Amino acid sequence: CSAVKMAATKPLVVAPRTPMGPRQLSRFQHLDFDNLPLCGREKEMKMLTSAYYDEDRQNKIKTRILLVEGPSGCGKSVLIKHFQETVLMMKKKNGKKDFFVFGKQEELTDHPFTALREATNDLLSQLLDDQSLDWKEIIDAEMTLNQKRLLVSLSPLMARLCEMQQPTRGQSADDNTSVMPGADRSVSSTWGSQFLRLAIRSLFRIVSRERRVILVQDDIQWAKRDYWSVLGATIIDSGSENVLFIGTHRPEPEMPEFRRLIAGKEDQVTSIELKNLSVDAVKDMVQLLTRRDDEDPCLELAKILRHRTGGNPMFLVQFIGLLQDRRLIFYAVSSFMWEWDIQKILTDTSIAENLVDVFASKIDELPVELKTVMITAANIGLSRFDIQVLHCIRQSSFFKGLELKDPDESIDNLKSLLQLAVAEGLLETIGASQFKFVHDKIREVAKVMLHGNFPDVDKFHIALGNALIQKEDELGEDYEQDGTDLIILGSQHLNCGLAAMTSETERLDLIRLNLRAAQAAFALLWFTPAKEHLAIGMEIARTLGGWQMHYDQTLEISTFYAEVLYCSGDQEMCFEITDEILKNATENSDAFPALRFKVHCCYNLGRDKEGNRLASTALKQLGFPFPRNKVLAAAWALKNVAQLKAVAREITEEKLLKMPVLEDENVLKAVQFYWALFEMAAVKADMVLQAFVMVVMIKITLKYGNHDFSAVALTSLAMIMAFSGDYEEADRIGQIAMKFSDEVEGPPKVLCLIGNCFFNFHWKHPLTNTLDMTLKAKEIVLSTGNIPMMFIASMTYTLNYIQSGLSLEPLSRDVSRLSEMLRDLNLRIFDQLFESAAQFVLNLTGKANGNPTELNGAVLLDRDASLKSYKSDNNMRATNSVYLFRMMMAYILDDVDLALKMSSQLYSAAMEGPSALLPFRFFFQGLVALSGAKKIKGTEIFGLLERRSTLPRKLKRMLKKGCVNVYHFVLLLEAETVSMGRGNESTAVQRAYDKAISTAARLGVCSVQAMGNELAGAYFHETGDKERARDYLLRARECYHAWGASVKTSQLESKYAEILAGQEELMRYNLGSKLKAKSRFTDLTKSVISGTTSQPLTSSKISNSGSSPLTSSAICTSEHVSKNQSGVSSPGSLVV
């Protein structure tokens, strides 16, 4: 109602009024609607302030989602405005500033983010004006370049705030993206929409950490699906307690998307229903407007007004204004008071008059010229309209033929005409050249008046559409109306006038125009309008004969339609469209793009066999192999692996540099197709398909020459060498691949980094080095907007981090944020692969409720249901991940029976490949087997005894080949074996444990130090040596604490309460230590390679002179603390 002169600028109070003197008359010839306070909303105001402000919670926002529901004109906007004034007054007392940001969703526009765009603009404008903090520095520190670019495309103020160059219209914010070749734009846009959600959420999170943010979104009932997906990520699932979302909406239409978003979060939602005003509230309004303090006549008039209008505030204001215009309410000079005649009001007005009738009557009484201008402006489709656009429309032959306007009308004349509507309270000015309807209801009424005032509505829309497109061409790239391309609006109007287009040429032009509009919408990530335009274009093409009569146009729009459907996650519909293209395409080159999308849809929809069949057909047409089943693929790969091993040793950097650059078009298409399949196989954990594609890519590179994926092919070859156990050769070829990756950007470079650090380099280099590589990969991914690569980089980082022994606390924050991000994606496969590792970290750090060994909590809500889902999706890697991390958790928390059960259910270790997870798995399986052998009696012990000897042997073979990252694993397993030997002296057992603990300290692995100390403490506790048991258990507690395993720390204190209770911490971390684990890694590597592995290093060899194992542990742990404090290896910026 603020738009209809009900601004809430005064408190609700009815003060005594005195008659006005003659000198005041000129000021009060009209009722003062502009300064009318809020009336009759005391209860609703109390609910608003209660939801926002709660003294008992240190001023934290109590409710994160607040809905204000009511019909049009009931005063939703006025209530919010008054609430803003109230809160700002409250905050002004303590000197703090809240950010109130507003946005309005439009019914008639195709822009899905209108309200969020306005709100983002509003927020950035306030950030620019706020001098109390350096917002540029804060945002630059926490947002990636790609995120800022996306926000610049949404709001030009972001460019000003961060001193960036704004991209020209038509240029995507992530035009530097390089993703799947041959489908760069589609995949970029697919994940670009996801990153836009995360960019907006990141902005609100950053700001809300410093200030409270109240995000008001008006008329959310008009929002489309794209809007709700972004809003869900921004506010509802943001996790920020300092953001309050206030949404206003009408009772109709329903909002199913929003209801799904808040399902299960009803405790965060407060709903306020605005009803029509009571008679008493109407009486207060009358008294305030007329400045009369005699209640009886005001109450009598209020009853009539309430009866006539139903108590709708906006209707009341308009109806009172109508009574004033008809002089049924008038200012009497004789009494210097406003007066009225009740009987005359009753006879001259009718209850049938409603709000629509009032506005229609008001518009109908305007001069003919102004009335047609109002109707035309209301039908453009924008909340605000530019006078240049309106003038261009009125210059069309359609309007000239109607003789409804001056043929020589200038922009100045048109502006003067519009000022009359402003004076009548129907329009308001915005800036120098824009106008806006005072209220949506006025625009709605003017819009529907089109049919009664223009003889041919279809031709009206055609004229309007042609004028908008003409203006688009005239103004070029520098013009944008309300963030919407005029080409999109123009095509909408031409589609409305389709029935009046009789010639085939006109309809063919409309097909091209819909394609152009869809491309403009697609560039802005507006998938819903893009699909709507393409669907209309497709239907028009079919009516004109489609593929038979207009092959080129139908092929072009169909192919782009498939691309948009794939990007928007509409896999089923994409599958149908690509099927139509493949049936009608006459050339293989025409079918190839659709075939690629269909293959991806098959894999995403779980139709792997059909996807393999289509891929096989496409690649065979290009002259390349692709077996139709996994058995043939595995056999082909194995046959060629032996050849590649022999070739690998002959590959040198010099030879590769001399190879020609691949230029053959068919081969390049095949490489692109194989790369797409490789990405899909990596995401779906299809090891056979990955191996097959890897081998083919290597062979293509060696036969045809260098290409953009040569580095990936070389990385794959290094992985094959690592899998065969030749770690030296894997490291050498991996280093060559890294040099080649310097020449490429995007996902190929990311996959090269990740592949080498997770499969190749960890055998010969410290795990901390691999963490640095994954962080670099993450930065590249964030600049390209490729979510699958983001997931793979984050997953690699998480797994390597867990094994590194660094503090889990930063990682626990990362996995929580990454899990939130993955929930926003359409592909379930991401969640499945990440859930178990994330939940393991959260459970271990005490951030999950219930039994930690169950792996249920914030991420993996229902383990059993998830396992069932993994198996139904045939996702063996995700299933195996549950078994692995449950086994680890069960062992750490002393549940040996569960650990044994999980260990027995693990799939073949070959599934892990040469990954960094393989030695970690062997290590825990060995510990579990040894613990089981201590506990279990009978025939079952023979299987455990076999495993307890087999697994250490596998790790020793790795060690003999120079993999020092397994040295501490081998020593701790040996120590456990020694502790089980009969007749072994306690000093020998202690030496064995001390070797393992010291080596873990030198390698910087706090987790293994903790386990070693705990196992040693448990051994001495069982043998009755309480003093040594206490020393080791105290060290274990400190190491677990440093590792961040708070659940284990608590369990240890509970299990050994008689020993640990009341004990002071023995370890004091020397945060100034400069002793680095990386330098010690080099020393250990030399020792291992020089042949000392048969006799593990002693404490004196490992430790510095005169230092005990305890001192080494303390120094190493201090390094972790200082590292995380300094940010050298902190993962805090891993996730968006």
Side-chain angles (χ1 to χ4, degrees):
C1 280
S2 60
V4 287
K5 309 171 184 176
M6 291 184 65
T9 56
K10 293 183 179 179
L12 180 59
V13 57
V14 182
R17 306 296 182 191
T18 56
M20 293 174 286
R23 293 182 180 179
Q24 296 174 291
L25 179 60
S26 60
R27 294 174 51 217
F28 294 95
Q29 290 176 345
H30 296 280
L31 294 171
D32 186 11
F33 292 104
D34 291 330
N35 295 311
L36 180 64
L38 188 67
C39 297
R41 299 300 188 202
E42 299 86 350
K43 178 183 175 183
E44 290 81 359
M45 270 297 301
K46 186 176 181 181
M47 291 178 69
L48 274 170
T49 52
S50 175
Y52 172 76
Y53 193 84
D54 187 349
E55 194 71 41
D56 294 335
R57 297 188 62 191
Q58 291 82 42
N59 298 343
K60 288 288 184 181
I61 290 176
K62 184 177 181 180
T63 305
R64 286 176 47 214
I65 305 168
L66 203 151
L67 301 178
V68 180
E69 177 185 336
S72 177
C74 70
K76 299 185 293 290
S77 300
V78 164
L79 182 67
I80 300 303
K81 289 284 187 182
H82 195 78
F83 168 60
Q84 178 186 8
E85 293 292 333
T86 303
V87 171
L88 291 181
M89 263 194 294
M90 292 162 64
K91 302 306 293 183
K92 194 173 181 181
K93 295 178 181 178
N94 53 26
K96 293 184 179 179
K97 179 182 178 182
D98 287 352
F99 289 134
F100 265 80
V101 293
F102 293 86
K104 182 177 180 61
Q105 193 65 36
E106 299 294 341
E107 176 188 9
L108 303 178
T109 180
D110 255 353
H111 196 322
F113 307 129
T114 304
L116 278 175
R117 180 179 183 273
E118 289 183 8
T120 305
N121 259 326
D122 194 358
L123 176 61
L124 292 170
S125 175
Q126 294 181 52
L127 294 179
L128 284 166
D129 293 338
D130 183 17
Q131 303 299 318
S132 61
L133 291 171
D134 188 343
W135 288 106
K136 178 185 181 302
E137 182 179 348
I138 294 171
I139 291 172
D140 284 345
E142 300 201 37
M143 293 187 73
T144 66
L145 180 61
N146 190 59
Q147 287 178 314
K148 289 185 285 187
R149 282 175 177 162
L150 286 169
L151 290 177
V152 166
S153 70
L154 195 68
S155 170
L157 292 178
M158 188 68 183
R160 283 179 54 195
L161 181 64
C162 296
E163 300 175 3
M164 298 170 62
Q165 183 178 357
Q166 185 178 0
T168 59
R169 195 166 58 89
Q171 174 189 358
S172 172
D174 56 349
D175 268 358
N176 64 325
T177 304
S178 174
V179 257
M180 185 179 70
D184 293 345
R185 180 179 56 185
S186 67
V187 178
S188 168
S189 297
T190 302
W191 309 120
S193 66
Q194 313 294 352
F195 269 77
L196 177 61
R197 304 177 192 182
L198 300 171
I200 296 174
R201 178 169 67 178
S202 180
L203 176 65
F204 277 84
R205 269 183 170 169
I206 291 168
V207 176
S208 65
R209 281 203 295 268
E210 308 293 337
R211 298 278 193 274
R212 288 193 195 175
V213 178
I214 299 92
L215 173 63
V216 180
Q217 299 281 270
D218 198 10
D219 280 341
I220 58 175
Q221 75 276 357
W222 305 128
K224 298 182 180 180
R225 180 180 177 181
D226 297 337
Y227 169 87
W228 291 121
S229 66
V230 173
L231 182 73
T234 305
I235 302 300
I236 296 172
D237 292 327
S238 69
S240 174
E241 292 184 353
N242 234 16
V243 177
L244 173 63
F245 171 74
I246 302 178
T248 70
H249 64 97
R250 302 178 190 179
E252 300 291 339
E254 292 291 331
M255 301 184 293
E257 293 285 344
F258 181 68
R259 299 300 171 191
R260 278 194 288 271
L261 278 177
I262 63 174
K265 304 179 179 70
E266 287 78 7
D267 59 323
Q268 302 175 12
V269 181
T270 296
S271 296
I272 299 175
E273 183 181 1
L274 290 189
K275 297 181 179 179
N276 289 333
L277 297 179
S278 65
V279 172
D280 288 338
V282 176
K283 184 202 70 174
D284 291 342
M285 181 185 291
V286 171
Q287 286 187 280
L288 289 167
L289 282 170
T290 61
R291 301 177 65 83
R292 291 182 59 158
D293 55 356
D294 45 346
E295 294 192 4
D296 290 342
C298 291
L299 179 61
E300 191 176 9
L301 176 60
K303 289 178 180 179
I304 296 174
L305 294 175
R306 176 69 170 73
H307 186 60
R308 289 284 190 266
T309 64
N312 182 285
M314 183 181 180
F315 194 0
L316 273 167
V317 170
Q318 293 297 324
F319 192 77
I320 294 171
L322 183 67
L323 295 179
Q324 181 184 233
D325 293 341
R326 296 180 184 180
R327 294 199 56 77
L328 297 175
I329 294 179
F330 58 93
Y331 186 78
V333 179
S334 59
S335 62
F336 301 114
M337 295 178 66
W338 286 94
E339 295 183 358
W340 48 85
D341 187 331
I342 295 294
Q343 290 302 319
K344 199 169 184 180
I345 292 174
L346 287 172
T347 56
D348 289 6
T349 62
S350 168
I351 195 169
E353 289 183 339
N354 56 35
L355 189 56
V356 173
D357 296 330
V358 171
F359 284 137
S361 174
K362 202 166 185 176
I363 295 172
D364 215 32
E365 291 172 0
L366 297 173
V368 175
E369 288 291 312
L370 180 54
K371 182 169 71 172
T372 59
V373 168
M374 293 285 289
I375 295 171
T376 304
N379 279 276
I380 292 176
L382 298 169
S383 61
R384 58 184 70 180
F385 57 91
D386 192 287
I387 195 168
Q388 295 184 58
V389 175
L390 187 59
H391 183 261
C392 180
I393 293 169
R394 288 177 57 79
Q395 293 299 310
S396 67
S397 57
F398 172 79
F399 284 91
K400 290 180 179 179
L402 294 176
E403 298 181 355
L404 295 174
K405 61 176 284 298
D406 178 2
D408 299 321
E409 180 183 64
S410 66
I411 289 182
D412 289 338
N413 291 340
L414 180 59
K415 192 171 185 178
S416 299
L417 197 62
L418 291 170
Q419 289 297 337
L420 295 176
V422 173
E424 290 293 327
L426 298 172
L427 296 178
E428 60 185 22
T429 57
I430 301 175
S433 63
Q434 289 191 336
F435 291 83
K436 181 181 179 181
F437 285 91
V438 166
H439 195 274
D440 285 343
K441 184 59 71 176
I442 300 174
R443 187 178 69 174
E444 291 169 15
V445 171
K447 183 174 181 289
V448 298
M449 292 177 71
L450 170 66
H451 292 271
N453 289 274
F454 286 86
D456 193 328
V457 174
D458 290 336
K459 289 185 177 179
F460 170 88
H461 283 296
I462 291 174
L464 204 119
N466 285 329
L468 289 170
I469 292 166
Q470 176 189 339
K471 198 63 182 176
E472 162 91 4
D473 295 335
E474 287 178 7
L475 297 173
E477 294 186 351
D478 295 330
Y479 185 80
E480 192 176 82
Q481 175 73 49
D482 263 12
T484 303
D485 280 329
L486 294 182
I487 187 68
I488 299 175
L489 288 173
S491 63
Q492 281 180 331
H493 284 289
L494 289 171
N495 289 333
C496 291
L498 178 62
M501 296 182 185
T502 56
S503 73
E504 184 175 291
T505 303
E506 284 182 305
R507 296 197 167 205
L508 287 173
D509 288 341
L510 185 55
I511 293 174
R512 286 188 283 269
L513 186 63
N514 274 293
L515 176 60
R516 184 179 163 192
Q519 290 168 340
F522 184 72
L524 296 168
L525 305 178
W526 304 354
F527 294 130
T528 301
K531 288 189 287 187
E532 290 171 355
H533 284 285
L534 290 167
I536 293 171
M538 288 279 290
E539 187 58 34
I540 297 172
R542 291 189 183 104
T543 61
L544 297 177
W547 294 94
Q548 287 71 35
M549 301 300 295
H550 302 285
Y551 177 85
D552 291 339
Q553 291 91 333
T554 307
L555 174 66
E556 185 179 14
I557 197 168
S558 299
T559 303
F560 188 62
Y561 194 19
E563 184 176 349
V564 173
L565 288 167
Y566 175 76
C567 293
S568 63
D570 197 342
Q571 308 285 332
E572 292 283 359
M573 190 64 185
C574 180
F575 190 88
E576 293 178 15
I577 293 296
T578 53
D579 201 39
E580 178 183 338
I581 296 171
L582 295 176
K583 287 178 181 177
N584 291 282
T586 58
E587 301 288 339
N588 289 337
S589 58
D590 293 343
F592 192 80
L595 190 58
R596 185 180 59 245
F597 286 120
K598 189 168 184 179
V599 169
H600 274 281
C601 287
C602 286
Y603 287 130
N604 290 335
L605 294 170
R607 305 175 186 177
D608 291 10
K609 289 184 178 179
E610 187 174 359
N612 290 341
R613 180 182 60 79
L614 291 169
S616 176
T617 301
L619 289 166
K620 281 183 178 178
Q621 290 174 355
L622 297 170
F624 288 88
F626 188 86
R628 293 194 179 188
N629 60 64
K630 290 187 176 182
V631 176
L632 292 175
W636 189 93
L638 288 172
K639 176 183 174 182
N640 285 271
V641 163
Q643 299 174 6
L644 290 172
K645 285 182 184 178
V647 173
R649 290 173 175 78
E650 300 175 5
I651 293 177
T652 62
E653 185 178 350
E654 291 74 21
K655 284 186 178 181
L656 290 171
L657 290 173
K658 291 178 182 178
M659 292 175 65
V661 176
L662 177 58
E663 295 179 349
D664 187 296
E665 287 296 325
N666 278 347
V667 179
L668 284 172
K669 280 185 178 180
V671 168
Q672 293 165 1
F673 212 104
Y674 280 126
W675 166 253
L677 293 172
F678 185 85
E679 254 194 333
M680 191 60 64
V683 171
K684 289 183 70 69
D686 189 333
M687 299 298 295
V688 174
L689 182 56
Q690 283 185 65
F692 172 81
V693 174
M694 282 163 51
V695 172
V696 175
M697 294 274 278
I698 297 165
K699 296 192 73 174
I700 289 176
T701 303
L702 297 177
K703 182 176 180 179
Y704 294 100
N706 292 318
H707 49 85
D708 287 345
F709 303 96
S710 294
V712 176
L714 289 171
T715 302
S716 301
L717 180 58
M719 290 166 62
I720 290 173
M721 302 308 294
F723 192 77
S724 65
D726 194 341
Y727 305 139
E728 289 284 353
E729 198 64 21
D731 187 72
R732 185 184 70 82
I733 297 174
Q735 297 292 351
I736 296 174
M738 290 299 297
K739 291 181 181 179
F740 270 75
S741 71
D742 292 337
E743 305 298 323
V744 296
E745 290 298 332
K749 187 179 183 71
V750 171
L751 204 59
C752 185
L753 283 165
I754 294 171
N756 278 307
C757 75
F758 195 57
F759 293 102
N760 302 329
F761 290 169
H762 69 91
W763 300 107
K764 305 293 292 182
H765 302 277
L767 281 170
T768 46
N769 281 3
T770 67
L771 297 181
D772 295 337
M773 290 173 67
T774 49
L775 284 174
K776 184 178 179 181
K778 178 267 304 181
E779 293 297 333
I780 298 171
V781 169
L782 289 178
S783 67
T784 61
N786 188 311
I787 289 284
M789 289 293 106
M790 176 64 191
F791 159 73
I792 293 171
S794 300
M795 187 68 179
T796 301
Y797 184 90
T798 301
L799 295 177
N800 281 13
Y801 193 111
I802 290 172
Q803 298 171 69
S804 71
L806 293 171
S807 172
L808 292 173
E809 180 58 32
L811 183 62
S812 68
R813 294 194 297 270
D814 275 347
V815 296
S816 297
R817 289 154 63 188
L818 182 61
S819 296
E820 291 175 10
M821 182 185 76
L822 295 179
R823 291 190 200 108
D824 294 334
L825 304 177
N826 294 325
L827 300 178
R828 167 68 180 157
I829 194 74
F830 295 114
D831 271 326
Q832 291 180 347
L833 292 172
F834 189 71
E835 284 173 337
S836 299
Q839 198 62 58
F840 170 81
V841 174
L842 294 177
N843 282 25
L844 200 57
T845 52
K847 296 183 179 179
N849 298 324
N851 183 356
T853 62
E854 291 297 319
L855 283 191
N856 289 342
V859 177
L860 198 61
L861 296 176
D862 189 335
R863 187 200 67 254
D864 294 330
S866 296
L867 270 173
K868 186 176 180 181
S869 172
Y870 303 161
K871 291 175 180 177
S872 65
D873 293 343
N874 198 30
N875 193 342
M876 295 176 64
R877 184 173 288 177
T879 306
N880 202 52
S881 183
V882 172
Y883 297 147
L884 175 62
F885 283 102
R886 253 200 116 190
M887 176 194 73
M888 291 163 53
M889 196 61 159
Y891 176 79
I892 291 172
L893 296 179
D894 296 336
D895 191 339
V896 178
D897 292 335
L898 178 60
L900 287 167
K901 180 181 178 182
M902 293 295 103
S903 179
S904 65
Q905 290 181 323
L906 283 169
Y907 296 143
S908 168
M911 179 181 290
E912 309 295 348
S915 74
L917 203 58
L918 186 64
F920 207 54
R921 166 181 165 155
F922 287 161
F923 170 60
F924 267 95
Q925 279 189 290
L927 289 175
V928 169
L930 288 165
S931 296
K934 292 178 183 179
K935 179 179 179 181
I936 296 175
K937 307 297 181 184
T939 56
E940 293 182 15
I941 196 170
F942 294 109
L944 294 174
L945 291 174
E946 182 182 355
R947 261 184 281 167
R948 82 173 191 183
S949 59
T950 302
L951 294 167
R953 280 202 301 270
K954 291 180 178 180
L955 291 172
K956 284 182 180 180
R957 282 198 293 270
M958 296 175 184
L959 185 62
K960 288 180 179 178
K961 293 178 181 179
C963 178
V964 181
N965 279 323
V966 304
Y967 196 13
H968 51 310
F969 294 161
V970 171
L971 292 179
L972 189 53
L973 289 174
E974 286 183 349
E976 273 287 84
T977 304
V978 171
S979 71
M980 293 175 63
R982 294 181 180 178
N984 287 337
E985 295 182 1
S986 61
T987 53
V989 174
Q990 182 177 7
R991 278 199 303 271
Y993 279 122
D994 284 350
K995 291 173 187 177
I997 295 167
S998 300
T999 303
R1002 298 197 69 179
L1003 291 172
V1005 187
C1006 190
S1007 53
V1008 177
Q1009 294 176 62
M1011 286 188 281
N1013 275 298
E1014 182 189 5
L1015 290 170
Y1019 170 80
F1020 287 113
H1021 183 262
E1022 290 175 5
T1023 58
D1025 192 337
K1026 302 299 183 184
E1027 185 176 348
R1028 279 195 282 190
R1030 183 182 64 254
D1031 290 343
Y1032 278 107
L1033 290 173
L1034 283 170
R1035 297 174 200 167
R1037 183 179 68 179
E1038 297 304 324
C1039 288
Y1040 279 127
H1041 178 75
W1043 188 31
S1046 59
V1047 167
K1048 178 60 183 178
T1049 304
S1050 300
Q1051 189 249 7
L1052 198 69
E1053 290 174 344
S1054 174
K1055 183 177 180 180
Y1056 298 104
E1058 76 282 2
I1059 294 178
L1060 298 178
Q1063 293 291 326
E1064 295 291 332
E1065 295 182 359
L1066 295 182
M1067 298 177 64
R1068 295 291 181 265
Y1069 300 149
N1070 176 16
L1071 297 182
S1073 172
K1074 301 297 182 182
L1075 191 57
K1076 299 295 182 182
K1078 290 183 182 180
S1079 62
R1080 292 194 294 273
F1081 182 93
T1082 305
D1083 296 336
L1084 287 175
T1085 304
K1086 292 177 181 178
S1087 300
V1088 170
I1089 294 176
S1090 64
T1092 59
T1093 56
S1094 58
Q1095 295 182 350
L1097 298 178
T1098 63
S1099 302
S1100 59
K1101 291 180 181 178
I1102 295 173
S1103 307
N1104 291 328
S1105 177
S1107 66
S1108 66
L1110 175 62
T1111 308
S1112 296
S1113 301
I1115 293 173
C1116 185
T1117 307
S1118 75
E1119 184 182 337
H1120 294 163
V1121 175
S1122 59
K1123 246 186 170 182
N1124 285 311
Q1125 287 178 346
S1126 63
V1128 174
S1129 297
S1130 174
S1133 60
L1134 172 66
V1135 181
V1136 179

